[in-house]
Amino acid sequence: ISVADLVEESLKRIGETDGKIEAFLAVDEEGARKQAAKLDSSGEERGLLFGLPAGIKDNIVTEGLRTTCASRFLANYDPIYDATVIQKLRQAQSVTMGKLNMDEFAMGGSNENSAFHPTRNPWDLERVPGGSSGGSAASVAAGQVYFSLGSDTGGSIRQPAAYCGIVGLKPTYGLVSRYGLVAFASSLDQIGPLTKNVEDAAYVLQAIAGHDSRDSTSANVDIPDYVSALTGDVKGLRIGVPKEYMGQGIDPQVKERVLEALRTFEAMGAVWEEISLPHSEYAVASYYLLASSEASSNLARFDGVRYGVRAEDPANLLDLYRRSRSEGFGTEVKRRIMLGTYALSSGYYDAYYKKAQQVRTLIKRDFDQAFEKYDLIVSPTVPTTAFKIGEQVNDPLTMYLNDICTIPVNLAGVPAISVPCGLADGLPVGLQLIGKPFDERTVLRAAHAFE
Ligand code: GLN
């Protein structure tokens, strides 16, 4: 079987299913075929991901391949360089099939904030695939691509992975370069893999992790062998289960699936106990202040001059800025820019932004303390299963609460994976395993033993 065969199979599958699922914003048929031909004829030693068809979230820049962030603002943006992760995938010899739908600028949890169209959940086309990496999750779940890349600022890899019944890994902050990831909230954003199983996640992580001098927050650490961590053995592993993640708002069936998973771990020789992460209840509030503040600053670059779409016939410079931004950004993006600008303005900075930063430190400390006693923290990934398209669009606060179990992980900068753990009313439930900083090996080992 040749790479060309794999690529044709992927194109065929996309052709058959994407009319309904709409995971893709752009399929790069020509580019994929070219890459396949090149790999088939090269005599080089095979890369780690040789020939595997991959999908890329549309906020990761790809040279010459349109990168829109699912925003009208970037509807015509063709990047002139590749993100570091794209260069690394090329070295590993996977094949980029195209760009995947998302919530505009990664703000959202359902893909309904895409400026172009929502993506549908392959398990039930009436339901959302989650978000913001919803296209990335749906595409893998529907078998269109072998794996995809997403980004996770507050849950955007793990939550859609949970809703679509696949595996999603958010690495430790700094492990994977953010160079070429269009910034949403720079102190929280991380790129990671969405895959069918844990072994694939280990391989993709192996390919994309590593220090990058072009990202000043990139960690200069040795990259261990992730694949060899998958021993199947969790004997003696100490698991903490935060009561704050198992209480109010968690669907009883989801909770039951998580308890079953814990019994499975017990049967394999791990031990678990209930713990407390007492500052969790402030995580969502502080996240939406911090993420929006950073977003308001990051998105200031979209001014109608340097990138993307420009308003026509502006009367003057201010009019150009105002109209480009009014026309280019969607409702949720505007909401966050306003919230963030407000939180950062003098007079409110101390009351909101600074306080949120202090809470972030307390949340980080909760994790540090827990990890003195436990190897892993386990929770549901999301409180519920995938909801219906349209059900929550007019209710941003309910939407924000979907991330209650994933957000603290980004605030603390630690790694976490979502693995499928059964069904509730026929829809997939996700189990979240959270690890110590840079201890992806333990996270992957436990997830692999469980799945
Ligand atoms: N749903 C969260 C938000 O809207 C998380 C998004 C993300 O991780 N990119 O901010």
Side-chain angles (χ1 to χ4, degrees):
I1 163 163
S2 64
V3 179
D5 292 337
L6 290 177
V7 164
E8 291 312 318
E9 193 51 43
S10 168
L11 287 172
K12 193 173 135 217
R13 185 80 189 148
I14 294 168
E16 285 165 2
T17 55
D18 213 46
K20 288 201 182 105
I21 291 168
E22 298 193 89
F24 276 86
L25 288 175
V27 180
D28 186 18
E29 240 175 89
E30 204 192 311
R33 288 198 169 112
K34 253 199 210 145
Q35 274 179 284
K38 213 171 126 199
L39 289 174
D40 276 329
S41 64
S42 106
E44 286 170 44
E45 203 182 315
R46 290 189 174 186
L48 203 56
L49 306 175
F50 181 81
L52 299 180
I56 308 295
K57 187 177 182 180
D58 209 28
N59 59 351
I60 298 173
V61 303
T62 40
E63 185 180 347
L65 185 56
R66 186 143 299 179
T67 300
T68 67
C69 295
S71 178
R72 271 192 300 276
F73 216 117
L74 292 176
N76 62 1
Y77 175 54
D78 296 323
I80 54 167
Y81 70 104
D82 276 327
T84 296
V85 289
I86 299 297
Q87 291 179 12
K88 285 184 173 273
L89 287 187
R90 183 166 317 108
Q91 280 158 18
Q93 299 181 331
S94 66
V95 179
T96 298
M97 301 304 300
K99 303 303 288 288
L100 295 165
N101 200 19
M102 53 186 282
D103 289 295
E104 184 175 6
F105 286 105
M107 297 174 189
S110 69
N111 257 250
E112 292 163 295
N113 295 340
S114 167
F116 305 119
H117 52 74
T119 293
R120 292 166 184 276
N121 191 318
W123 288 75
D124 175 352
L125 298 175
E126 306 270 282
R127 291 179 190 267
V128 303
S132 64
S133 314
S136 300
S139 184
V140 171
Q144 298 175 334
V145 291
Y146 205 86
F147 72 91
S148 63
L149 294 185
S151 69
D152 191 312
T153 305
S156 277
I157 291 174
R158 291 159 287 158
Q159 185 255 32
Y163 281 179
C164 291
I166 62 164
V167 172
L169 172 69
K170 183 204 88 75
T172 307
Y173 184 77
L175 184 65
V176 176
S177 170
R178 292 184 297 109
Y179 180 74
L181 170 67
V182 178
F184 161 15
S186 311
S187 77
L188 302 159
D189 300 340
Q190 263 295 285
I191 295 172
L194 294 100
T195 55
K196 286 257 190 197
N197 58 49
V198 176
E199 189 179 4
D200 292 352
Y203 273 101
V204 179
L205 182 65
Q206 199 80 58
I208 62 174
H211 180 247
D212 181 6
S213 57
R214 288 173 301 189
D215 170 3
S216 62
T217 61
S218 165
N220 206 340
V221 292
D222 287 332
I223 302 304
D225 188 333
Y226 297 115
V227 181
S228 71
L230 311 179
T231 58
D233 181 16
V234 292
K235 237 178 246 112
L237 194 83
R238 297 161 305 169
I239 297 173
V241 181
K243 62 170 194 264
E244 293 83 1
Y245 295 37
M246 290 290 269
Q248 216 193 351
I250 309 291
D251 177 282
Q253 285 197 60
V254 169
K255 188 171 168 178
E256 194 43 47
R257 292 296 94 76
V258 174
L259 290 170
E260 283 164 18
L262 289 167
R263 287 195 281 274
T264 304
F265 274 113
E266 232 169 44
M268 292 189 291
V271 290
W272 71 273
E273 261 170 13
E274 187 177 279
I275 63 166
S276 174
L277 301 173
H279 297 96
S280 300
E281 66 171 298
Y282 309 109
V284 172
S286 65
Y287 167 86
Y288 277 97
L289 282 169
L290 295 172
S292 303
S293 297
E294 293 187 31
S296 75
S297 159
N298 274 325
L299 270 57
R301 77 193 59 183
F302 300 105
D303 54 8
V305 178
R306 284 170 292 184
Y307 306 89
V309 172
R310 176 177 301 182
E312 279 178 40
D313 301 322
N316 52 43
L317 187 62
L318 213 59
D319 186 46
L320 170 73
Y321 291 159
R322 188 180 298 126
R323 283 207 290 115
S324 299
R325 288 169 71 81
S326 303
E327 293 161 18
F329 291 136
T331 311
E332 183 64 24
V333 175
K334 287 177 185 163
R335 182 181 293 133
R336 306 240 184 155
I337 291 174
M338 287 198 280
L339 185 66
T341 307
Y342 181 82
L344 287 177
S345 54
S346 75
Y348 297 103
Y349 182 95
D350 285 335
Y352 296 114
Y353 182 76
K354 194 168 156 211
K355 209 169 237 151
Q357 287 286 31
Q358 289 166 334
V359 172
R360 180 177 188 174
T361 303
L362 295 174
I363 289 168
K364 169 90 173 83
R365 271 189 213 153
D366 283 354
F367 278 96
D368 290 345
Q369 272 165 18
F371 283 129
E372 282 172 16
K373 271 186 83 182
Y374 301 94
D375 306 303
L376 216 56
I377 294 171
V378 169
S379 76
T381 307
V382 205
T384 60
T385 52
F387 48 90
K388 290 222 165 89
I389 293 175
E391 199 175 287
Q392 295 189 6
V393 257
N394 296 320
D395 186 359
L397 285 184
T398 304
M399 195 79 101
Y400 293 176
L401 285 174
N402 291 325
D403 300 322
I404 199 152
C405 304
T406 48
I407 276 175
V409 171
N410 299 73
L411 291 171
V414 293
I417 200 167
S418 179
V419 278
C421 84
L423 303 176
D425 291 331
L427 293 169
V429 174
L431 181 75
Q432 177 172 240
L433 314 179
I434 308 168
K436 298 175 188 173
F438 300 105
D439 192 15
E440 275 77 6
R441 273 175 61 91
T442 302
V443 172
L444 289 162
R445 173 163 62 95
H448 170 74
F450 171 74
E451 74 177 350

